[in-house]
Structures are given as structure tokens and as C-alpha cells.
Amino acid sequence: MDIIQAIVTKSQWIIAVLALFVVAWARFNSPPTNRSGTTFALFFWGDALMIPLWLVVMIGLVQGSIGFDFIVGQVKEVDPKAQAQLAQYAPIVAVLVIVVASQFRQVARIDRAARAFCVRLAAIPREADRLAFELAQTTGFIPRDDLLSKVTKIVSENIGPRALSFSRDGTLPDRFTRAVGLYNLFVGPRQNAAALDFAGNGYGRSAYAMIMQMGDAVAARADARYEEMMHAGLAFFTSPLPPPELKDALNRNVAEVTNLTCGLVSRYVLFCERTHSGRLQRLARMGFAYSPGPTFGLDQWATTIFLVTALSIGMMLLMPGMRPIDYGKVLTIAVTFGASIGFAVLGAIVVAQRFIGRKEGDTPGYPPIAELVVAGLVVVGLSIALRIGIPLVSALMQGQGYQDVLRQFIERLYGVITPFICTISLGLICSYMGCSRMSWYRVAALGALANGAALTCAGWLVAHMIGEQVLAQFYVHPEDAIKLVALSNGLTGFIVGGMVLAVFNESERIRKVAAERIATSPHKDFPLHDAPSIAGGLEPPSVTSTFDIADDLGYRDRAGVEAFEGDYVCFRPAFSNSEIISAYLIGIRWDETESCLMFEERERVDAGHTQTGRVYIPDGRPFLNFVTLEKGAIRLIMVSRPEKSNEPARGLITTLSNPGGAQFTPASAPIVLMRVVDHTPQLGFIRPGAVSYESYRRELEMVVPAFGVFALAPHPAACVAAE
């Protein structure tokens, strides 16, 4: 019966922890697709907030019941069995309190604030957008193996050898070939159910299916732009003297296909990989020019914690001069120490990876002391939480109070010096020896000696600061305990240093070899002997420079045109009936990809005619030009440049109208743009008698002749009477 009762008692904790996990999942993992942008960071941050809240509520229940019993005890005798039963079920009751309390308005408000805080920490959209921009703009891409042959065949047979280039020199053929490769790498397989070369297992394929299902609209846009790009490429590369408009259209299509595809790729990689190094490795396997940094994976980290824990248990049980210690206490101390050293290893690895990533060339940089100190302080904070939390849970499971736990923590507080020193020591060793060209076993030996020496000094310092009174609890001869503590710490540091440096240095050497091979010979791994040669005498057109584009646009940077950004209501007479006014929104934004102002129409009733394009600002002329160029069709809006933020922009629109349905006719009309400030004005087809009709009509009347002129055919000459 005692065994059954013990199992039931422990099951209260197991059930409570599982219930807490479910509560955190329901509150902080909605929607369940957060990993497409955060690698599950939202749930982990939420879980980290729920566990301390649960412990606080549970302690409050237990201590609150004691205070209540004291008050009741003044009136009648308190039943000890009732106290024991309440303490036994305190974990489950605490979870129920958290769940039920969230139904109250004030608590629910706090709950929503906590979720918003976790969302900000997780940075759901920003990480995916940042990676997508990096892939599209700054990262080289070379198709691998079968995809290389496929891209070569597509471009050569459908466009021509002039359009094929894997030179990674930024020319238009190179960017066109890159866009074709990216599309056929990730978006194309969804159309023809082709094998996914980059998804090596079932998990990768299921992740791809989920991302494509979530991004179906983006993939459909990529399909449409890819088709337009192929048509524009055929017209451009087969023309002896392609016009600038055709080149501009092809550049735009290439940029759109690249951006849309890289947006999907970034979400796929973030979904599959939790760590930065894992993402780099997956991107490198997909053909992107990434060289993954030195890694110390989750398995190696868990192995380190296990080895330190096992070594601590062995030394406390077998080392000469140790007092007999209860097995439960040995396990608690060993797990706490092992987890603290694990946090120290993690902090050191993160700082070393950042340091190696920033280092330029082979010159040693200044040691990252500030980052290591910050990482060490974070490790100290986590170690303090472990030193309180693990013994506290153990004490509560055994029905004891928390006073002894706090007393023991204060007595052994100086023990946090060891993980702090371990963070600094390992961080410096990995930063400078992690990228050494020496053999891995030499690096491991030097790392083991250096870290062992550092932790030996840390153990000597901790033993001196703790004092003989605390050491006497563990050692038969406290006067010899300082040497034993220093020796045990040094042995732990020796093993940890050797293991970390061996794995870290080996991964860094692999990364360097891959990076050098990519930098020195980008085509070495991808022979092009099957590709048709470039036709003799045909030089590919050079890429449009930033200054050429700036000369065409009339401005060179965002600073000079930032004042025009914003939302505007645009209205003009309808071509089918001039008594009706058509009103819709136009948004003007700076596009980092195109390095220019772009406009986009929104909320048009005739949505099929929605336009997007560039904004041109001619130098020395007080007008703005909104130009749409698509498949040879051009639409122009020319309006005055407003001198004040609230001043309307008035001018003319020139486009094609098809009121009859099949036949298009050139048409022009007055048009006005007014900035939207505090509320959205009336939109749609505005008829006489509507609220905004008269104000819109008066603005349109002011266009001619001050801001636009309609020149009509001359009237017939007056007949002169014959004499």
C-alpha cells in the first residue's frame, strides 16, 4: 500500500505538469503554424512564463492554507490529515486555478498582454521576411545536380543560349537564370508532382506540403510572374536591340519571381530548423551560397549535461574523503550542477559563433569580453533558478517546506561562480581555437587543459568562499576539502573542454573548406559541359546600374521623396459615364528591392483594372508621374507636385478605355489625388446626390486649365463672303 500511495502522490505532479503543457499549448500555440516564422519560439516563451506562474500559485496555496489553518486553529483544532491532503493535490489545484482565473476579465487582460509579449519576443513575421530579403538580394544560388541540368535545358531550349549564365556576376542573364532555378527548385515541383531534391525525408516533404498549402496565394502569384518572365525573356534575349521598356519589364519580373520564391523558401527553412546553424546547413544543401558556421548540436549539448551529471554522481559517491550522502540529495546536486554547466556551454558556444562570424580574414579580433560577461550573467541567473527550483520541487514532492531549500541555496550561493567562469573560459577558447587549423585532437587537448585549469581555479575560489562549515556537510576532513573541490572541478572542466573543442573545431574546419571552395571555384562542383556554349559575338546586356535607374526616376534616394509616401484617395470621371465619379485608394511606398517609389491601387470597384507601378518625378518640373508598364500596355497619371501635405495633386490620366467591351479607345480625363489623413473618404462609383459627390466634382473642375489642357481639333474656318 505504501508503494501504491507513493506512486499516486508522484502522479499528482506528472498530471499537473502535463496539464500545464496543454494549457500553454492552447494559449501560446494558436495559430498552430507559428513555426513557419519563429521555429516554435512563441510556445517556448509562453511555456517559460507558465511554469513560474504555476509554482507561485502552488506555493501560495500551500502557504495560504497554513495561514488559514492558524486562524481557524484559534477557534478549533486543525485536522492534520486535511492539511496533508491539500498539500498533496496542490499541483493540480494550481493548474485549475490558472485555467479558471483566465475566465475573469482582469486576468484575461493580463493573459492577452503576456501573449502579446511572447509574440514580440518570437518576432513571427520579421524573421521570415528578413531571411527572404537576404536570400533574394545578397545570397548566391547555383542549382545542384539534376536541377542544374533541368534549368540548363529550360533556358537553352525555350529562350536561347544567350539567356543562360551561372557566372554569379549580377548581369541580367545571370539573374534570369537564377530566377528560373529558384522557381523550379521550390515552386515548380508543386505543379508536376516532381521529386523534391532538397527534402530528403518524410518530414521535409510534409513540411513542404504544409508551407505550400499555407502559401497557396503566393505560389499562384509566383506561377503567373514566372510565365510573364519567360515571355519577357524570350522577347528580350531574341531581340538584336531590345528597347529599354522591355528590359525594365524583364527586370521587374525577375525580381518578383525571386522575391516570391525566396519568401516561401525562408518559411520552409524556418519551419524545418530550430537553430541558425541548422538553417544554414539546409540552405547550403538547397544550393544557396552559405557556409554553415561551427556547430555544437542538441545531441552534443545533452551528452555534455549527462556526462557532467554522471561524473558528479560518481565523485560524490566514490571519491575518498566524502561523507555518505543520501541518494536523492546526490541526484539533486548532480542534476543541478550538470544543467548549470550545460547552460555555460550553450552561452559560450553562442558567443563564439557570433565572434567567428564577425571576424574578417585570419587576423585575431579583440576578445568578446562584454558578450561573454553578459552570457555569463545570464547563465548565473539560470543557475540560480535551477538551484532553487530543482530542490524546491523535490522538497515539495516529499512534503517538506521551502525554508530549508532557501537556507541551503544561500549557503552554497558562491557555487554559481563555477558556471560563470566556465562560460568565460569556454567562450574564449572556442573563439580563438575553434577555427584553428591544427588537428582536432590537438585542439581538443589544449581546450581540455585550458578549461580544466580555469575550472580548477574556480573550484579553489568557491571552496574558500563557502567555508569549512558547509564543506563539513560533505567531506570528512574539511581542511582537505579545498583540494578535493578544486580537483573535481578541474576534472569536469577538462572533460567538458575537450569534448566541446573537438566537435566545435571539426565543424569549423568543414565550414572553412566549403567556403573556400565556393569562393575560389563556384562552378567546380557544377560542371557545365552539357550546357550549350554562348553564341560567339553576342555580349549579354549589362545590368542596369543604380545611377541609370535614378536618372530615369528623377531621384536617387529615399530621403528626397519620403514626403510623398502615404495613402491617397484618387478620383476621376468614369469613362463610361462622365456624370459618375470613380474613387479608390492609391498607396505610395518605398520599395527596397527596386530602390524607388512604387504605387499600388486598392479598393477599386472595377478590381480587374487595378494598377501598380513606379513613381517618376521629373527634375525641374512640378509634377509626379504614375507609370504602369505591363506587357506593352502603358497607363500614365500626371499630377501636380503638392507643396503642402494637405494640398491635392491635380492633373490628367491617359489610358485605354473599353466601354463597348471588345474595342479599346485611348481616353483621358481630369484626376485628383488627396492625402488620407484621419478617415477614409467615400469610395466606389460616386453618383450625383452622394455625400462626397459635390466636393469631388469641385476639385475636378479646378484641373482645367490650370493643371491640364485638352486640346481639341480646330473649328472650320469662317467663310468669307464673296464680294
Side-chain angles (χ1 to χ4, degrees):
M1 292 298 294
D2 293 338
I3 297 177
I4 297 176
Q5 184 178 1
I7 294 174
V8 171
T9 303
K10 302 297 185 294
S11 68
Q12 313 303 322
W13 290 86
I14 298 174
I15 295 173
V17 170
L18 292 176
L20 189 69
F21 184 87
V22 173
V23 171
W25 183 283
R27 290 190 185 178
F28 294 96
N29 194 42
S30 176
T33 56
N34 287 332
R35 279 201 46 193
S36 63
T38 64
T39 65
F40 236 18
L42 177 62
F43 169 68
F44 286 141
W45 280 110
D47 217 12
L49 290 178
M50 293 293 288
I51 292 175
L53 177 63
W54 171 59
L55 292 175
V56 169
V57 173
M58 183 171 56
I59 293 174
L61 285 172
V62 174
Q63 299 304 315
S65 68
I66 293 174
F68 180 75
D69 290 341
F70 175 78
I71 296 174
V72 175
Q74 303 300 318
V75 181
K76 65 175 184 177
E77 185 178 356
V78 178
D79 186 4
K81 292 184 178 180
Q83 288 182 327
Q85 288 179 352
L86 178 60
Q88 177 180 348
Y89 294 103
I92 295 180
V93 174
V95 175
L96 293 176
V97 168
I98 293 175
V99 175
V100 174
S102 64
Q103 305 303 317
F104 294 95
R105 181 176 300 176
Q106 298 298 328
V107 179
R109 185 179 302 172
I110 298 174
D111 190 66
R112 287 193 296 270
R115 192 189 192 297
F117 173 73
C118 292
V119 168
R120 287 194 296 272
L121 287 176
I124 288 176
R126 293 196 296 270
E127 178 66 13
D129 293 340
R130 184 204 61 78
L131 180 58
F133 179 80
E134 182 179 328
L135 295 178
Q137 301 297 322
T138 63
T139 305
F141 172 75
I142 294 293
R144 292 181 178 272
D145 304 329
D146 294 339
L147 180 60
L148 179 67
S149 303
K150 182 178 180 180
V151 172
T152 302
K153 183 177 180 181
I154 290 174
V155 177
S156 301
E157 294 183 358
N158 294 281
I159 308 298
R162 184 181 174 187
L164 183 66
S165 174
F166 294 99
S167 59
R168 290 168 56 188
D169 55 3
T171 58
L172 187 52
D174 173 65
R175 290 183 289 112
F176 176 80
T177 305
R178 183 176 186 267
V180 173
L182 287 171
Y183 175 84
N184 285 279
L185 168 76
F186 201 82
V187 182
R190 112 187 204 280
Q191 297 283 10
N192 49 23
L196 301 174
D197 297 332
F198 56 85
N201 52 27
Y203 175 73
R205 290 190 292 272
S206 62
Y208 174 82
M210 182 174 295
I211 294 300
M212 296 309 291
Q213 182 180 8
M214 289 161 39
D216 184 64
V218 178
R221 288 173 57 197
D223 291 334
R225 296 297 176 267
Y226 179 76
E227 184 178 355
E228 294 176 4
M229 183 185 73
M230 296 301 288
H231 286 295
L234 180 63
F236 180 86
F237 290 110
T238 56
S239 175
L241 294 173
E245 294 81 6
L246 191 57
K247 183 178 181 179
D248 186 67
L250 181 58
N251 274 321
R252 185 175 67 252
N253 287 327
V254 168
E256 289 181 355
V257 171
T258 301
N259 293 338
L260 292 171
T261 305
C262 288
L264 294 171
V265 171
S266 67
R267 280 156 176 79
Y268 169 78
V269 172
L270 289 171
F271 187 95
C272 293
E273 302 295 339
R274 289 185 174 91
T275 63
H276 179 69
S277 59
R279 297 167 193 168
L280 296 185
Q281 291 174 1
R282 185 172 289 272
L283 288 169
R285 290 195 299 268
M286 296 175 75
F288 290 93
Y290 277 107
S291 53
T295 60
F296 193 81
L298 184 62
D299 294 334
Q300 292 87 348
W301 182 65
T303 303
T304 302
I305 295 178
F306 175 78
L307 286 178
V308 173
T309 303
L311 182 63
S312 301
I313 293 174
M315 287 190 294
M316 282 189 287
L317 294 179
L318 303 177
M319 181 178 287
M322 295 291 298
R323 292 184 182 276
I325 306 175
D326 180 68
Y327 290 154
K329 191 173 184 179
V330 169
L331 183 61
T332 300
I333 295 174
V335 170
T336 304
F337 183 69
S340 299
I341 296 299
F343 286 131
V345 170
L346 185 62
I349 291 295
V350 169
V351 174
Q353 286 176 335
R354 289 169 52 86
F355 176 77
I356 293 174
R358 292 194 304 264
K359 190 172 67 170
E360 298 180 358
D362 295 329
T363 57
Y366 197 79
I369 299 298
E371 290 187 47
L372 285 174
V373 170
V374 172
L377 293 176
V378 172
V379 170
V380 168
L382 294 173
S383 300
I384 291 175
L386 287 174
R387 288 170 177 267
I388 295 176
I390 293 179
L392 179 62
V393 171
S394 177
L396 292 175
M397 290 177 65
Q398 298 174 8
Q400 302 174 1
Y402 65 90
Q403 291 82 1
D404 290 341
V405 173
L406 295 179
R407 178 180 56 79
Q408 293 176 6
F409 166 73
I410 294 173
E411 289 178 349
R412 306 169 195 170
L413 177 61
Y414 295 112
V416 298
I417 294 176
T418 299
F420 179 81
I421 297 296
C422 186
T423 304
I424 304 293
S425 171
L426 273 180
L428 291 173
I429 295 169
C430 290
S431 296
Y432 288 101
M433 298 185 63
C435 54
S436 174
R437 294 185 179 273
M438 292 189 298
S439 58
W440 68 269
Y441 53 87
R442 290 185 179 180
V443 173
L446 291 175
L449 291 174
N451 196 57
L455 261 66
T456 299
C457 296
W460 181 86
L461 179 62
V462 169
H464 267 286
M465 298 181 72
I466 286 180
E468 292 187 0
Q469 183 178 359
V470 177
L471 295 177
Q473 301 175 12
F474 300 94
Y475 297 94
V476 178
H477 303 288
E479 62 276 7
D480 298 330
I482 295 177
K483 298 178 182 179
L484 295 177
V485 172
L487 178 62
S488 60
N489 265 27
L491 181 59
T492 302
F494 183 87
I495 294 175
V496 171
M499 180 178 176
V500 171
L501 263 295
V503 177
F504 194 81
N505 178 260
E506 182 69 14
S507 63
E508 170 62 9
R509 289 197 303 111
I510 294 173
R511 183 196 71 84
K512 276 195 170 184
V513 171
E516 291 173 358
R517 188 167 58 187
I518 291 174
T520 57
S521 180
H523 310 297
K524 190 172 182 180
D525 295 333
F526 314 104
L528 302 181
H529 56 272
D530 293 331
S533 60
I534 301 297
L538 290 178
E539 290 294 331
S542 60
V543 63
T544 305
S545 69
T546 304
F547 293 103
D548 292 339
I549 295 176
D551 290 338
D552 292 337
L553 295 170
Y555 50 90
R556 296 185 181 275
D557 53 33
R558 186 178 186 179
V561 296
E562 194 172 8
F564 299 114
E565 293 185 56
D567 292 330
Y568 297 78
V569 58
C570 173
F571 50 90
R572 60 168 175 81
F575 293 122
S576 57
N577 184 351
S578 60
E579 296 298 320
I580 299 175
I581 298 176
S582 176
Y584 48 88
L585 294 179
I586 285 185
I588 302 178
R589 300 287 184 271
W590 180 266
D591 191 314
E592 294 290 348
T593 304
E594 300 287 336
S595 296
C596 67
L597 285 178
M598 303 288 291
F599 74 92
E600 180 183 13
E601 296 177 353
R602 304 194 307 270
E603 300 189 32
R604 285 189 63 156
V605 177
D606 49 346
H609 299 286
T610 300
Q611 306 283 332
T612 61
R614 289 181 173 180
V615 180
Y616 293 79
I617 305 177
D619 187 25
R621 297 177 179 88
F623 288 91
L624 305 175
N625 297 315
F626 297 79
V627 181
T628 300
L629 176 62
E630 186 175 5
K631 296 181 180 180
I634 300 176
R635 192 201 71 172
L636 171 64
I637 297 177
M638 183 182 296
V639 294
S640 60
R641 190 187 307 185
E643 296 181 359
K644 300 179 181 178
S645 60
N646 59 349
E647 181 180 344
R650 304 181 179 93
L652 302 177
I653 178 174
T654 302
T655 185
L656 291 175
S657 175
N658 59 336
Q663 185 176 0
F664 286 84
T665 304
S668 186
I671 192 168
V672 177
L673 275 71
M674 297 180 65
R675 186 183 289 272
V676 177
V677 181
D678 51 357
H679 68 281
T680 302
Q682 188 175 3
L683 304 176
F685 290 136
I686 314 300
R687 303 179 185 276
V691 176
S692 301
Y693 182 84
E694 194 59 27
S695 61
Y696 285 172
R697 189 192 63 80
R698 285 196 299 268
E699 289 290 343
L700 291 171
E701 275 187 344
M702 298 175 64
V703 172
V704 179
F707 301 94
V709 175
F710 294 97
L712 303 177
H715 295 289
C719 296
V720 181
E723 292 183 4

